[in-house]
Structure formats: structure tokens, C-alpha cells
Amino acid sequence: NRVKKQMGAIHGKPLPSTTPRGKPMIPTAGSAEIPLARSSVFIESRDFAAEVTVAQFFVNTSRNPVECDYAFPLPMGATVFKYEVQTEDKLIKGQVMEKEEAHNQADDAIAQGHGTYMLEQETETKFKASVGNLPPNGWACVRLGFLMELGAHLDTIRLLVPKALAPPVGVRHSRIPADVLQRVGPLFEARFTTSFVMRNLRAPASPGVLIRPVEGGHGATVRLEGEHLKQDLCIEFEADRPAMGSAWLEPSPARGTAAALVSVFPQIVEEPDLDDLSPEINFIVDRSGSMSGGKIAAAKAALQVFLRSVPPHCRFNIIGFGSSTVTCFPAARPYDDRSLAEATAHVDLIKSDLGGTELIQPLDQVFGRKADPHFPRVIFLLTDGQVNNRDECIEFVRLHVADTRVFTFGLGTDCDHDLCEGLAKAGGGLCKFVDHASDGLEAIIITQLNQAMKPVFVPSGVHWKIPAGLRLRQGPFNLPCAFAGERILVYGLLEPAPAAPTPAA
């Protein structure tokens, strides 16, 4: 009855390759399953930080006790702080311990016929939970608590809830007591509290969402009923004071500590003239089968706008990818009337006809060439993100981004938001999402292109005024870079300072 977690990378045994995407049930050695019966997601959000609790019920429908693993996907950058398992007769709370010790205790418990529940981080966005010796017709409710940040740009704030947190159920929950289910709550509920007035709260492309603003505008409740999330749930709103810093302080009298959350929006005064720049711009376009229909139409429309908006002294190329790649030019060409005409004709012929989604290959085509310091290199990636190696792609960008910035456009309502945001974050760029070609595409592209040409704010640090008798631990210690209008979050933990040593007599 242990939870194992380690800060940084944790490596466990890989999950079976046959695991259905977004479904947490994993076949055991005896071909049994523990199907998912019910999911619930509850979020408590304050300004830019959210505490998320996910509850998932499983029922053993086989005739024998079973042991199984299931994959639990997390949003990019989330931090787990709680792991609990409730069964018919007990509530088990996880403990943090060293990896090897956790494995040994779990093995001993299973050998003695006891149930064991273990949580392990496999990648930045995936945890693996082990559930052992669940009896026939028995049920278990796994609760996972984690912290995540809300996205923000200027006055728009966004909470993204991946659909994989509440996937389709595999069995009806008739075996689970009604009073237990009643305590779980609806499929999704979020409670927002803000230091500013919320405006235009909405859930685009998510019918059925119930939104109830709090009187005065400093909060709201959002609910969604149902059995599972059919698509990623995106909740957006504006702040009444755009790009203004704010701070939260949450004391804990019992511990004598306090946690601080500070948001900063850097202002960059001097910006270059777009016409004076000479970047190398590589447009990488997803042409896999999943891009058919409206998504490939949005990609082509975006490319046509891009081609008529880039700096006149740039070099550029278009790389289409799927299972293979197709380029417009053998290498990046100077922008002129001839290259524009050829690229325009090339875009007109683009189709979603290149098979699977192998993203690393086109990225390697760009990163594999030495960058010209006279032409700062930029990648604009247009994709729906339907890859099978999300973390590998993000890490590939992170390892090769020293001389290249990566900006992403997520296309379609079923776009993999974690991939697109993760690639942009790893590549020092920004991410935008476009559901349809008509969704203000030109304005989005111009904004993204202008951002890509702007300088980056590199913070040197934060100066804290600490009251006497306290000390502060800051996270992250090294602050991330940001563009003008982008937000930087800084956390601090105030705790009693150690007593000064008594001078020797």
C-alpha cells in the first residue's frame, strides 16, 4: 500500500503496446481486465494555478483476483501530490518512498495475498498505477491529486482538461454502492476564484457545459454531466486588467508556513521592425491521414496567409510530413516573387495523403542542417498532434533547440494540446489552436508571426522582501524566458528560519 514517486525522470517497465489510447485498463498476464466504471474530475483554481482531483472507479468483473497496471495521463507540467485508493472496506493513502523500497514492499504484499497499489511516473505526462489482488466483483476507486498551471496570454486565461482524464467506461457501475458514487460528484466540476474580475467565461466547442459566474465577477463554477469527456475540454476567460501582475498568499497556521504565487507580465519596450529582419522560416505541415477534411483545409489556408505575411528579406521552405516527407524546395530559398509563386502552387496541391504521423523525421531535416547566424531559424509546425511518441518528440526538440525556435499551430477540435504546447515550450516558442479555417485565422497568424520575430525577455531573478524570522524557498529557481505579454509564474514557500546557533561560552 505504497506510492512511489521521484522528482525528475522515473523509468518503469513499458506498458503494453496494445493499450487503447486514453483508456486506463491494461490486460494482466491472465488476460483479465479491471474495466473503468466511472470517472470524475474536480478542479479548484485560484488565478493561474489549479488543484485537480481525478477519481476513477474500477470493477473486477472476472472470477479471480487480478493484478493490473493502467496508464494515467497528466497535463504537461503537472505535479502529483496525492494518491489514494478506496475499496469496499478501507481507504488507503499513499506514501512517498524510494523506488526500490516501494517495489520490494509491493512484491511482499502481493506474495502474502494482500492488495497493493503503486503509482510511478514513466514520462513527464504519464504515470503508471499498479493495482494488485482486487477480488472478484470487487471495486476500487483510485484518486489522484495534482497541481497544474493555467495558460495565459495578455488578458486571456485558459484551462485545458485532457479528455484522457475521463475516458469512456468499460462496464456499468451497478456493483458500486450508490452512497459511494454520490460522494464522487459530476463528470466535471471546476470552481474558479480570481483576484481580478472574470469576463467572457466560455467553453468553446464543448456543448452541455453549465457556467455559473459568482456575483461580483471574482469567480465562477463550471459543470459538465455525462459518463466521459468526448474531447479535450477548454475553458477560457478574460481578466479585467490585462497583463497586470498579481499575487496570492496562502498561510498554514498549523505548520507556521505560507505559500506564495506571483504572476509577472514582462514589458519589452523596444521591438524590431518586421521588415528589417531576415529569418529562415521552415513551415512543417502535417499531411497524415488524420488531417483530412477541415484540418488540412485550415493548414492550407494558414500557409497562404503566412506566405504573404513573412518578412521580405527572409528565406523559407515548406516541409510536408506523414510516414514520409515532401519539401517545396531542396533547401530554404530567398523570398521573392518567383519563390512565392512556386510555394503558392505547392500549397494548392497539398493533401492529407502521406500516411502516418512521423514528426521526428521533418524536425530532423531542419535541425540536421547547421543554422546560419545571419538568418535566425524559426519553425512553424501545423498539426493535429496525433502521434504515438509525444514525449519523444518533445524531448527531441528540447535537445536540438539551441539555434532554432519552434512555434506550433494545433488544428482541429481533437488536437493533442499537450503535444503542441509541449513542443512550443521546449522550443522557446508559443502555441495557438485553430478549430476551423474560419476562426479568425489571419489575425492569429499575424499575431504568431509577430511574436516569433520579437525579442525574448530573460529574467535575472526575483527580489523578495522577507519578514524577520522567516526564510523563503523559490521555485523555479531559474526563471523561464517569456515574450512580451506572456506570463511568468513564481512560487515561494515561507517557513520559519532556523534558529541562530548559540555562541559558545
Side-chain angles (χ1 to χ4, degrees), residues 214-445:
V214 173
E215 185 176 357
H218 287 273
T221 300
V222 179
R223 289 171 63 101
L224 178 64
E225 301 286 352
E227 286 193 339
H228 69 279
L229 292 177
K230 299 179 181 179
Q231 60 189 28
D232 291 349
L233 176 60
C234 181
I235 301 171
E236 297 178 339
F237 55 91
E238 276 83 45
D240 67 331
R241 53 174 203 268
M244 291 289 289
S246 63
W248 278 88
L249 186 69
E250 185 175 286
S252 175
R255 296 185 177 93
T257 62
L261 166 61
V262 179
S263 63
V264 180
F265 288 84
Q267 302 297 321
I268 300 175
V269 179
E270 296 184 4
E271 298 180 359
D273 188 334
L274 194 63
D275 290 343
D276 295 335
L277 299 175
S278 55
E280 177 191 313
I281 302 176
N282 293 272
F283 300 104
I284 298 181
V285 188
D286 188 346
R287 293 178 54 176
S288 63
S290 63
M291 286 283 292
S292 61
K295 288 184 282 188
I296 198 66
K300 294 173 67 172
L303 284 172
Q304 297 290 13
V305 176
F306 264 125
L307 290 176
R308 285 148 184 82
S309 308
V310 296
H313 304 297
C314 77
R315 299 192 306 195
F316 75 103
N317 199 1
I318 301 172
I319 305 174
F321 75 95
S323 301
S324 58
T325 61
V326 176
T327 61
C328 182
F329 309 121
R333 284 254 308 263
Y335 184 83
D336 54 30
D337 290 343
R338 181 177 177 182
S339 60
L340 173 60
E342 292 182 27
T344 299
H346 177 84
V347 171
D348 287 338
L349 297 176
I350 285 179
K351 299 178 181 180
S352 54
D353 56 357
L354 295 183
T357 313
E358 303 294 336
L359 178 55
I360 288 182
Q361 185 177 357
L363 290 172
D364 190 44
Q365 284 185 230
V366 178
F367 290 134
R369 299 194 313 270
K370 185 177 180 180
D372 186 337
H374 299 291
F375 291 85
R377 192 161 61 189
V378 179
I379 291 175
F380 287 100
L381 171 65
L382 297 87
T383 181
D384 64 357
Q386 303 299 320
V387 303
N388 295 320
N389 57 341
R390 175 201 298 161
D391 296 292
E392 184 182 351
C393 292
I394 294 172
E395 184 62 21
F396 187 82
V397 169
R398 184 179 290 115
L399 292 175
H400 295 82
V401 79
D403 52 13
T404 307
R405 292 164 70 185
V406 179
F407 293 76
T408 57
F409 278 82
L411 304 176
T413 57
D414 59 346
C415 170
D416 186 336
H417 288 70
D418 282 344
L419 174 77
C420 294
E421 291 184 329
L423 290 171
K425 181 179 179 181
L430 299 174
C431 175
K432 296 291 183 181
F433 296 99
V434 178
D435 291 342
H436 307 284
S438 59
D439 293 347
L441 188 60
E442 184 171 354
I444 293 174
I445 288 173

Side-chain angles (χ1 to χ4, degrees), residues 2 63 152 173 175 190 201 263 282 320 417 478:
R2 297 291 188 251
R63 299 179 179 179
H173 44 70
R175 295 183 177 88
L201 180 63
S263 63
N282 293 272
H417 288 70
N478 295 315

Side-chain angles (χ1 to χ4, degrees), residues 111-238:
Q112 296 172 22
H114 302 305
T116 181
Y117 307 89
M118 191 158 56
L119 182 71
E120 175 180 13
Q121 185 177 5
E122 289 204 313
T123 68
E124 187 175 357
T125 61
K126 186 173 69 176
F127 277 70
K128 183 181 76 171
S130 302
V131 179
N133 285 2
L134 192 62
N137 297 318
W139 59 268
C141 177
V142 179
R143 289 187 178 88
L144 194 67
F146 60 88
L147 303 175
M148 61 180 290
E149 296 178 352
L150 278 64
H153 177 66
L154 295 178
D155 59 338
T156 301
I157 301 164
R158 182 166 60 91
L159 170 66
L160 176 67
V161 183
K163 64 181 179 180
L165 293 184
V169 299
V171 66
R172 296 296 174 184
H173 44 70
S174 57
R175 295 183 177 88
I176 304 174
D179 61 323
V180 175
L181 288 174
Q182 289 175 356
R183 294 196 297 268
V184 174
L187 170 66
F188 173 83
E189 181 175 358
R191 298 175 185 173
F192 295 89
T193 305
T194 59
S195 60
F196 46 81
V197 175
M198 302 173 67
R199 301 188 187 281
N200 193 22
L201 180 63
R202 58 199 181 274
S206 298
V209 173
L210 178 64
I211 299 176
R212 292 180 177 175
V214 173
E215 185 176 357
H218 287 273
T221 300
V222 179
R223 289 171 63 101
L224 178 64
E225 301 286 352
E227 286 193 339
H228 69 279
L229 292 177
K230 299 179 181 179
Q231 60 189 28
D232 291 349
L233 176 60
C234 181
I235 301 171
E236 297 178 339
F237 55 91
E238 276 83 45

